[in-house]
Structures are given as structure tokens and as C-alpha cells.
Amino acid sequence: EDQVTQSPEALRLQEGESSSLNCSYTVSGLRGLFWYRQDPGKGPEFLFTLYSAGEEKEKERLKATLTKKESFLHITAPKPEDSATYLCAVRGFKSSGSARQLTFGSGTQLTVLP
Amino acid sequence: DAGVIQSPRHEVTEMGQEVTLRCKPISGHNSLFWYRQTMMRGLELLIYFNNNVPIDDSGMPEDRFSAKMPNASFSTLKIQPSEPRDSAVYFCASRTSRGGGSYEQYFGPGTRLTVT
């Protein structure tokens, strides 16, 4: 069974204060690791997909990186509009060789203060 | 282009009543997913469909829950009878599995269900 653990549960930053969110995972073969952003009262919004260790993806102030055991979402010089819950999800393989569906972590609630 | 559409956005019902949640996926998407989100358990997959066919319903908590997808543009999730522990936000998501590519799912705005 795939497992995802995100830390910290909550993070408060001052505007411009860079930091990282962590996503540790356990899968029997990684088919993909996904980052989503969720604003209050809305559905998750897709950010990135990473497939192999060493891969990096960037979007504005966000950069996602991947190792064999964890992923980091780096936030550089955050702004108040970056405040949201960030969800990590993994897709692994079943014993049959077919791919599982997404398993989500519990998320990191990020607050960026002006 | 319209995203995933869910209705109603909010539902308040009494224990024992039947509840039906509705979803219209993004046009052209052929996979549809129903999720439930609670503070205690996070985001959990309930069931998903490929080309209108249910593929895996192992996440459906019990027989009180059922889902249908009569055509490519409509799906329902029904709870009968509802219980207070069913209170949660229910999301529908869709994606296309045609042509390979990445696996991103597009989520609707959710239905917040409260069972009293």
C-alpha cells in the first residue's frame, strides 16, 4: 500500500521568507509524484508531476524536486497569494504490475503574512 | 473552457435521507473519480470510472454508497441512507487517458455534505 507523509502540518512565513515543504513517500515502484494546491472552499489544483529521482519542475516561485524517498516543494520569496494547502500524492504499482490510483498526503497549510 | 462541474455545492440533510451528488466532467475526459475529504482522513478515493465503466470501487466505505456514470458527461454518487459520519466534502475529478502523457486530474469545486 502506498503511503505519503507531509511535513510540517502548518507553516507560517513572512512575505519574502523562503522555505520548503516535505513529502515523504513509500511505494512499490513510483509511477509518479504529484503536487497540488488547494485554496479554502475549492478543489485541488494541479501543480507538478515528477517521475524519477533527480527531476525538478518550476512554476513561478515554486520548485518541486524528487529523490527516491521524498519530494520537496521549495517556495522562493513567497507572497500572501501563495497561502494555501499544498497536497502531495503518489501513484505506485500494484503487485500485478498495473498502476494504482493516487494516494494523497494530509497536506501542509501554508500562510504567508504580508 | 468549463472545468469539472459539481452540484449541489452545499447539501444539508437529516440522518436516514437519500443524498445524490452530481458531476459533469470536462468534455473529452474519459476517466472520472469520486473523492471524499475530511479533516481526519484527508482526501480519499472512493471510486473511479474509465469510459463510463466502474473500474475500482474498493474505496467505497459501505453498501450505502453507490455511483453511476450513465454517459460520458454525467456521474452521480448516491448515499442511502445517509449518516452523520458521511459529513465531508465530496470531490469529483476527471482526466483524459488518451494519448499517454502525464496523469494530472482536474478537480471540481466539491459538494459540502452535512448530515444531521
Side-chain angles (χ1 to χ4, degrees), chain B residues 7-85:
Chain B
S7 64
R9 293 295 314 278
H10 303 274
E11 178 78 41
V12 180
T13 190
E14 292 183 348
M15 181 174 63
Q17 297 299 305
E18 177 180 297
V19 175
T20 300
L21 311 181
R22 297 172 176 78
C23 174
K24 177 179 170 55
I26 293 173
S27 177
H29 283 190
N30 63 327
S31 294
L32 183 139
F33 306 81
W34 281 102
Y35 289 88
R36 178 173 67 177
Q37 187 174 43
T38 62
M39 289 294 292
M40 290 296 295
R41 300 176 66 87
L43 196 59
E44 301 174 286
L45 178 65
L46 300 177
I47 185 172
Y48 78 96
F49 296 81
N50 271 353
N51 298 315
N52 313 337
V53 176
I55 302 300
D56 186 352
D57 65 354
S58 59
M60 297 284 261
E62 46 198 278
D63 292 344
R64 299 184 295 107
F65 286 69
S66 62
K68 294 181 179 180
M69 191 165 186
N71 57 62
S73 58
F74 184 66
S75 177
T76 60
L77 178 67
K78 184 177 293 185
I79 307 172
Q80 166 65 20
S82 57
E83 296 183 3
R85 58 190 167 130

Side-chain angles (χ1 to χ4, degrees), chain A residues 4-9 22-24 35 86-89 104-108:
Chain A
V4 180
T5 302
Q6 291 188 247
S7 62
E9 290 185 9
N22 177 265
C23 171
S24 298
W35 283 98
Y86 290 85
L87 298 169
C88 172
F104 281 84
S106 56
T108 293

Side-chain angles (χ1 to χ4, degrees), chain A residues 54-94:
Chain A
E55 189 175 359
E56 299 182 354
K57 293 275 181 72
E58 287 190 65
K59 180 179 180 180
E60 296 181 356
R61 295 175 293 281
L62 300 177
K63 183 168 81 171
T65 62
L66 181 64
T67 73
K68 290 185 177 180
K69 294 183 179 181
E70 56 192 357
S71 176
F72 292 94
L73 185 64
H74 306 277
I75 304 176
T76 301
K79 298 182 178 181
E81 53 261 42
D82 295 321
S83 297
T85 295
Y86 290 85
L87 298 169
C88 172
V90 296
R91 190 176 186 220
F93 285 99
K94 299 178 182 178

